[in-house]
Amino acid sequence: MTSAPDQPPAACVLGTLPGPGFEGRRIGIVDLDREGREIGRIDLAEDALPDHVRDRETGAGGGQNGSRPRWIFSDTPKWYPPLLAAGVSIERCHDLRLTHAILARSELVTAPEALRAASDWDAAPADAAAPEQAAALFDVDAGRGFIPQVPHDLEAALAEYARQTTAIETASDPGRLRLLLAAESAGGLVAAEMRAAGVPWDEVEHDRILSDLLGPRPIRDGKPAKMLAKAEEVRAALDDPRVNLDSPNRLLAALRNAGINVASTSKWELRTSEHPAIEPLLEYKKMARLLSANGWHWLDEWVDEGRYRPVYVPGGVVTGRWAASGGGALQIPRQLRPALRADEEWRLVSADVAQLEPRALAAMSGDRAMAEAGFGRDLYSGLVDAGVVATRQEAKIAVLGAMYGSTTGEAGALVPRLRQNFPAAMHLVDSAAEAGRQGGVVSTWLGRTSPPPSEGWQRLQRAANRFDATGADEQRARRAAGDHGRFTRNFVVQGTAAEWALAWLADLRLRLERLPEIDGAPESRVAAHPAAASGPVFSRRAHLVFFLHDEVIVHAPAEQADQAAEAIRAAAASAGRLLFGDAPVDFPLDLSIGERAIKD
């Protein structure tokens, strides 16, 4: 160990030190004061890191009086899981990888050149990385999914942190960026903690649901009985006893031979036909999806000791929404919700936000009429009461059409009513769409900026502007411009809603941490039933276990369930104030407490 700080550090930069291979690796920690100046440097063995961090967090190492340091991680999935496994949690961090992705692109950064030149810190969002880029950007870890390859050594971390600090300090609106980066980094902590704790999962109930819907579990890789029976029903209706329903090409040929003139085997295409084979075929496809995505093999791979542990990817979508690189956390089907079951003497506290994206649009655009339509109530019903549309369904179609750029059908007919009644909100999305059509970029409320159009998009526009351009060239260019305009139109809304959700998560995480742990008092029924499978950090206190865009689930001791519910409500209100100040927009929650997390 080298010099230790004489004062509690405001931040601690972690990184590996040069030396032998993975075993016996040493870790360097540089302590920084509030101005970012180095005040101490520590060298310790890797296995000593959890105790050192615990001391800093609990006060023995300087973390007293509310001065717990902000830990500077190269990448949270690299550093935080081993700490959690050792029973150590931290209050705050700054994730260099997540921050780099935002700052290198943000319009608010006035001098991004140094960050963009540091390409070894680049890791594309999951929906932006082409397959050929994946091998270069990510390592595959069987237990943690895709782990971005960024530098983890101490000197590289210090250099990147210095670049990021300069970029923030010289930004056109550093306050917004700091808020965004703090929320994004907190999201990284939440993702690691939710994986460590796991979602309480009833394996017996999951098996019962599968058996009820598909038939009993088959031997090896066979299909369950109800699926086989449904397949025979389809074959009989097609008068083709040998057709392979799992082969799109062969199924399409069989459909056409039976006189069903469809262009593909998608459910949308199939529903255009009234042939007797269609209904059982759609049911078979639904069964096949459930078996493939969440069947018994999924149960064996992703659920262990009563916990489902998916791999979340914060910032995995360019808008800032999360993705998943393992376990399919963002696609758990509704019929499996009863399998989410709290431990004995614990409860699941579930909450989702009503119409999050339209409310974010009302707040960021300053459209008071739209805000008032949904204040304290269902926003879609508020549009009906305001006389904008006739039914709640029309309101939903109109709002979604406005945010996603629908210009045809029922949405195309209804959107002009929103433009007349909510001009500020519509001006915001219309302006974002026009910027996209012109090849520009747009930014969210806190400064996350959309990617520029691809080189392919640029080629189409150049071809349309040539003196010898054909009508087909111009049509392709217009179509591409319209597509990018719809993307930027939605980007500002979805991205800002994602920022609100991150602020909600970050605040809720700290509120739950402040709830007292369940002790061994005789009057506490829960004390005899710790959530041992949730790991040493979370076995005796309420904790987040699930997040999906606008929904959270907290696993809480039964006697603290009401407190956890109040923490969820208070965090939602706080997130609204943090982002939008005194804007007359609220974010009402549909909240429930129970042994199972069942959504209507």
Side-chain angles (χ1 to χ4, degrees):
M1 179 179 292
T2 56
S3 62
D6 296 326
Q7 56 180 298
C12 301
V13 184
L14 271 68
T16 58
L17 296 173
F22 187 83
E23 296 298 329
R25 185 175 55 188
R26 297 196 68 78
I27 305 299
I29 301 176
V30 172
D31 295 300
L32 306 175
D33 64 14
R34 294 188 181 278
E35 283 70 46
R37 296 184 296 255
E38 182 174 332
I39 57 174
R41 194 172 278 242
I42 298 170
D43 172 348
L44 70 167
E46 184 177 26
D47 59 7
L49 181 62
D51 286 340
H52 180 84
V53 173
R54 180 186 289 109
D55 288 346
R56 291 286 181 93
E57 287 288 318
T58 57
Q64 67 275 27
N65 301 323
S67 60
R68 295 162 70 178
R70 185 182 300 277
W71 297 92
I72 313 300
F73 291 153
S74 56
D75 187 27
T76 300
K78 165 75 173 178
W79 295 99
Y80 199 29
L83 296 177
L84 291 168
V88 180
S89 63
I90 66 173
E91 182 181 54
R92 300 177 298 159
C93 86
H94 177 97
D95 187 303
L96 293 172
R97 177 181 64 82
L98 292 174
T99 295
H100 179 93
I102 292 172
L103 292 179
R105 182 182 289 161
S106 177
E107 288 183 299
L108 300 185
V109 174
T110 58
E113 293 79 15
L115 282 167
R116 292 175 180 173
S119 57
D120 50 349
W121 287 91
D122 291 339
D127 66 342
E132 62 270 17
Q133 298 172 315
L137 292 173
F138 298 93
D139 279 332
V140 179
D141 183 298
R144 291 187 288 162
F146 290 97
I147 305 302
Q149 296 179 357
V150 295
H152 299 301
D153 60 282
L154 180 60
E155 294 307 317
L158 286 167
E160 175 62 17
Y161 186 58
R163 286 189 290 268
Q164 294 184 8
T165 300
T166 299
I168 295 167
E169 290 175 347
T170 59
S172 60
D173 195 336
R176 292 196 183 206
L177 270 182
R178 287 193 179 98
L179 180 54
L180 172 58
L181 300 175
E184 186 88 340
S185 295
L189 295 177
V190 171
E193 289 172 352
M194 289 196 301
R195 175 155 174 77
V199 183
W201 201 266
D202 187 338
E203 298 173 65
V204 173
E205 178 66 9
H206 189 143
D207 178 75
R208 185 200 67 76
I209 293 169
L210 293 177
S211 298
D212 183 56
L213 296 174
L214 307 178
R217 182 171 187 168
I219 298 174
R220 297 178 183 173
D221 294 325
K223 287 186 172 62
K226 288 188 177 181
M227 271 191 72
L228 292 173
K230 189 62 64 176
E232 288 306 312
E233 188 178 339
V234 176
R235 294 187 181 105
L238 292 174
D239 194 22
D240 187 341
R242 303 183 64 181
V243 61
N244 181 354
L245 303 186
D246 300 317
S247 169
N249 290 336
R250 293 178 182 178
L251 175 58
L252 186 59
L255 290 169
R256 290 173 176 171
N257 288 338
I260 305 172
N261 188 22
V262 289
S264 73
T265 60
S266 73
K267 63 181 180 180
W268 313 111
E269 184 83 14
L270 293 173
R271 282 176 177 160
T272 63
S273 172
E274 296 182 359
H275 191 280
I278 298 301
E279 193 58 39
L281 176 56
L282 290 172
E283 292 178 20
Y284 176 85
K285 289 169 72 70
K286 186 176 181 180
M287 290 177 165
R289 282 193 299 273
L290 177 61
L291 178 64
S292 173
N294 301 101
W296 289 279
H297 287 302
W298 180 92
L299 189 59
D300 293 341
E301 180 177 3
W302 291 102
V303 180
D304 184 49
E305 297 183 346
R307 289 296 184 272
Y308 159 47
R309 304 181 193 276
V311 183
Y312 289 100
V313 183
V317 179
V318 293
T319 60
R321 275 190 168 190
W322 287 18
S325 66
L330 307 184
Q331 288 105 18
I332 295 297
R334 187 180 300 272
Q335 61 260 46
L336 285 182
R337 280 295 183 122
L340 279 72
R341 183 178 185 181
D343 289 0
E344 184 178 359
E345 298 296 349
W346 288 64
R347 296 292 182 268
L348 294 177
V349 187
S350 308
D352 60 90
V353 190
Q355 303 101 31
L356 172 57
E357 291 186 1
R359 293 175 190 277
L361 172 58
M364 66 192 299
S365 66
D367 197 311
R368 299 188 69 87
M370 189 174 186
E372 290 169 3
F375 193 83
R377 58 179 171 177
D378 177 83
L379 185 145
Y380 297 141
S381 297
L383 266 61
V384 176
D385 295 343
V388 178
V389 291
T391 67
R392 187 182 185 279
Q393 181 62 17
E394 283 189 353
K396 185 174 183 179
I397 291 171
V399 170
L400 294 178
M403 293 189 300
Y404 288 89
S406 298
T407 58
T408 60
E410 190 173 3
L414 293 170
V415 167
R417 301 187 195 178
L418 297 187
R419 192 164 282 111
Q420 179 180 358
N421 287 272
F422 308 126
M426 292 303 299
H427 175 72
L428 187 147
V429 291
D430 288 344
S431 297
E434 182 58 27
R437 282 193 292 269
Q438 297 298 323
V441 296
V442 295
S443 293
T444 60
W445 185 247
L446 295 182
R448 191 189 302 267
T449 298
S450 65
S454 67
E455 177 56 33
W457 187 95
Q458 302 286 0
R459 282 197 301 270
L460 289 175
Q461 306 309 313
R462 288 195 296 267
N465 289 324
R466 288 171 54 93
F467 73 92
D468 57 349
T470 66
D473 290 332
E474 293 173 353
Q475 184 178 20
R476 284 191 291 269
R478 282 196 299 271
R479 186 182 301 115
D483 289 345
H484 194 66
R486 281 185 288 275
F487 165 71
T488 51
R489 171 188 289 271
N490 182 244
F491 183 95
V492 292
V493 181
Q494 186 181 112
T496 299
E499 290 167 353
W500 180 92
L502 276 176
W504 184 32
L505 277 181
D507 188 272
L508 174 58
R509 172 182 178 268
L510 295 179
R511 289 176 188 270
L512 294 175
E513 184 188 34
R514 290 194 287 268
L515 293 178
E517 287 194 357
I518 299 301
D519 58 24
E523 64 272 15
S524 171
R525 292 178 300 151
V526 179
H529 300 279
S534 295
V537 171
F538 304 111
S539 62
R540 292 183 175 274
R541 65 177 176 88
H543 53 277
L544 278 155
V545 296
F546 187 77
F547 169 60
L548 176 61
H549 305 324
D550 59 1
E551 176 190 7
V552 297
I553 299 177
V554 169
H555 192 215
E559 61 198 57
Q560 282 188 343
D562 288 336
Q563 291 172 275
E566 180 52 37
I568 293 173
R569 293 189 187 96
S574 175
R577 291 191 299 269
L578 184 66
L579 263 68
F580 306 119
D582 58 358
V585 178
D586 63 347
F587 296 87
L589 303 175
D590 180 9
L591 193 146
S592 64
I593 300 174
E595 292 185 2
R596 299 184 187 273
I598 302 176
K599 286 187 73 175
D600 295 330

